[in-house]
């Protein structure tokens, strides 16, 4: 949902930055790698110490690189399969770092097994959401369905972690993590059912 609603707006806002980086000779791939490193540092350096709001600010400063590198690739004519592969792969690394940082905090200093478990569930199910689509496309099917796409999950967890830390409310973050875990599970099931219908139509399901 957020991908569809915000893509055009973010392209307009970040377009000048992308143009500047291209003029400076920066490669889209470099932006992808630097952005991922920034997200990982923000999540794994600050979240495990309980500095959630600081970590969110650092992550936010780098997370938009995912949009900038795409704009750069398209406007410079450098869009290619390698760039798409690198971007998708490093997206998974950044996502894992964010939820992994929360797991480390709540399994350690935060001392909240429930939130640690919910964050872990989001980490695992988020990876399966992405894999379910990638594997479907690798087999010639499509799985462009689901109520919990990457942008939705990221915005939800980052905004909630920021305010939960400022307000000292583990309940707020716990509720959102639980909802994200459920939404991710539903998305996995939606994609599995979508691929099964396509496989049935193509005669690719054993009866």
């Amino acid at each position: 949902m957020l991908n569809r609603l915000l893509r055009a707006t973010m392209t307009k806002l970040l377009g000048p930055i992308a143009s500047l980086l291209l003029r400076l000779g920066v490669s889209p791939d470099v932006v992808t790698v630097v952005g991922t490193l920034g997200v990982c540092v923000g999540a794994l350096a600050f979240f495990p110490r309980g500095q959630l709001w600081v970590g969110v600010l650092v992550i936010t400063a780098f997370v938009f690189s995912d949009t900038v590198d795409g704009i750069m690739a398209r406007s410079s004519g450098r869009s290619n399969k390698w760039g798409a592969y690198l971007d998708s792969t490093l997206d998974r690394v950044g996502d894992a770092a964010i939820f992994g940082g929360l797991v480390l905090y709540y399994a350690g200093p935060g001392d909240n097994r429930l939130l640690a478990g919910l964050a872990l569930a989001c980490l695992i199910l988020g990876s399966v959401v992405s894999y379910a689509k990638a594997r479907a496309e690798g087999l010639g099917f499509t799985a462009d369905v689901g109520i919990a796409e990457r942008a939705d999950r990221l915005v939800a967890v980052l905004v909630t972690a920021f305010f939960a830390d400022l307000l000292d409310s583990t309940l707020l973050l716990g509720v959102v993590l639980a909802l994200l875990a459920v939404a991710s599970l539903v998305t996995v099931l939606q994609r599995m059912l979508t691929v099964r219908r396509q496989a049935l139509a193509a005669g690719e399901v054993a009866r």
Side-chain angles (χ1 to χ4, degrees):
M1 179 178 66
L2 289 174
N3 280 332
R4 294 188 294 270
L5 293 176
L6 297 181
R7 182 171 296 172
T9 301
M10 294 310 298
T11 298
K12 290 180 181 178
L13 291 175
L14 299 176
I17 297 176
S19 298
L20 174 61
L21 291 173
L22 286 172
R23 287 197 297 271
L24 294 174
V26 179
S27 164
D29 289 350
V30 170
V31 174
T32 302
V33 173
V34 171
T36 301
L37 289 175
V39 169
C40 290
V41 169
L44 298 178
F46 295 100
F47 281 6
R49 294 189 293 180
Q51 298 173 321
L52 302 187
W53 72 270
V54 178
V56 169
L57 291 180
V58 174
I59 291 167
T60 302
F62 287 95
V63 78
F64 290 112
S65 65
D66 190 47
T67 301
V68 173
D69 60 8
I71 298 172
M72 292 172 65
R74 290 189 296 273
S75 61
S76 64
R78 299 183 192 177
S79 295
N80 52 58
K81 291 183 178 180
W82 161 249
Y85 172 81
L86 179 67
D87 189 57
S88 296
T89 301
L90 294 187
D91 280 350
R92 307 290 83 77
V93 174
D95 294 355
I98 291 171
F99 287 103
L102 291 175
V103 172
L104 289 173
Y105 174 60
Y106 286 110
D111 193 24
N112 191 316
R113 296 294 179 85
L114 176 59
L115 262 67
L118 289 173
L120 181 60
C122 289
L123 191 162
I124 295 170
L125 290 170
S127 297
V128 178
V129 166
S130 300
Y131 178 80
K133 181 178 180 179
R135 183 58 175 158
E137 292 174 346
L139 294 172
F141 301 116
T142 59
D144 296 320
V145 296
I147 61 174
E149 295 188 5
R150 180 175 182 264
D152 303 307
R153 298 195 305 272
L154 279 184
V155 170
V157 72
L158 292 177
V159 171
T160 306
F162 181 83
F163 286 106
D165 193 20
L166 290 182
L167 300 174
D168 194 24
S169 174
T170 55
L171 176 61
L172 175 62
L173 185 57
V175 169
V176 171
L177 287 175
L179 291 174
L180 282 178
V182 171
S184 297
L185 178 60
V186 170
T187 297
V188 171
L189 295 175
Q190 286 178 304
R191 292 183 173 180
M192 290 177 67
L193 291 173
T194 297
V195 172
R196 179 172 173 79
R197 283 195 294 269
Q198 294 172 57
L200 283 170
E204 296 288 348
V205 177
R207 296 178 182 277

